[in-house]
Amino acid sequence: MPKAKVTFEDIGVAVTVPAGTRLIEVSEKVGAGITYGCREGECCTCLTKVVAGGENLAPPSVLEDQVLKDNLAPRGHRLACQAQILGGELVVRPA
C-alpha cells in the first residue's frame, strides 16, 4: 500500500501514513492543533493551510468546495475532515 509523509508545521512533527487517510485522522493521532466540529465537511472548523504538497491530496469534493467558497477560505486551504491523502509529501498547519 502506498505511503505518504505528513508534516504538521505547527508542532514540528512528521509522520508516515497509508495513502487514503484523511488529514483529520492523522492530526488527532499526533496531537496537532487542527480543531474540528462536525467531521462531515459542513462547519469549516477544521480549515487547514496546505503549506506544501497540495497535489498529494485528492481534489475537493463538491461539498468541500462549496463550504470553502461559502466561508471565503483563502486559496491553498482545505477541510482536514475531507482532505484525503494520496501519497507523496505534505506540509500543513492550522488555518
Side-chain angles (χ1 to χ4, degrees), residues 32-90:
I34 299 173
T35 59
Y36 62 90
C38 70
R39 293 184 66 103
E40 301 294 325
E42 297 176 355
C43 71
C44 205
T45 303
C46 64
L47 188 65
T48 303
K49 168 71 175 164
V50 178
V51 178
E55 68 277 5
N56 295 316
L57 292 172
S61 65
V62 172
L63 171 65
E64 181 184 5
D65 196 44
Q66 189 61 53
V67 170
L68 292 170
K69 287 178 184 174
D70 290 349
N71 287 277
L72 305 175
R75 176 172 276 145
H77 285 67
R78 295 288 303 271
L79 299 180
C81 71
Q82 299 296 302
Q84 186 177 23
I85 303 163
L86 299 176
E89 294 189 23
L90 182 66

Side-chain angles (χ1 to χ4, degrees), residues 11 65 87-88 92:
I11 60 172
D65 196 44
V92 298

Side-chain angles (χ1 to χ4, degrees), residues 2-40:
K3 300 280 186 179
K5 179 181 175 186
V6 182
T7 301
F8 293 89
E9 195 176 66
D10 60 318
I11 60 172
V13 171
V15 294
T16 300
V17 299
T21 305
R22 298 218 181 263
L23 192 52
I24 196 68
E25 296 166 359
V26 183
S27 173
E28 287 176 320
K29 287 182 182 175
V30 301
I34 299 173
T35 59
Y36 62 90
C38 70
R39 293 184 66 103
E40 301 294 325

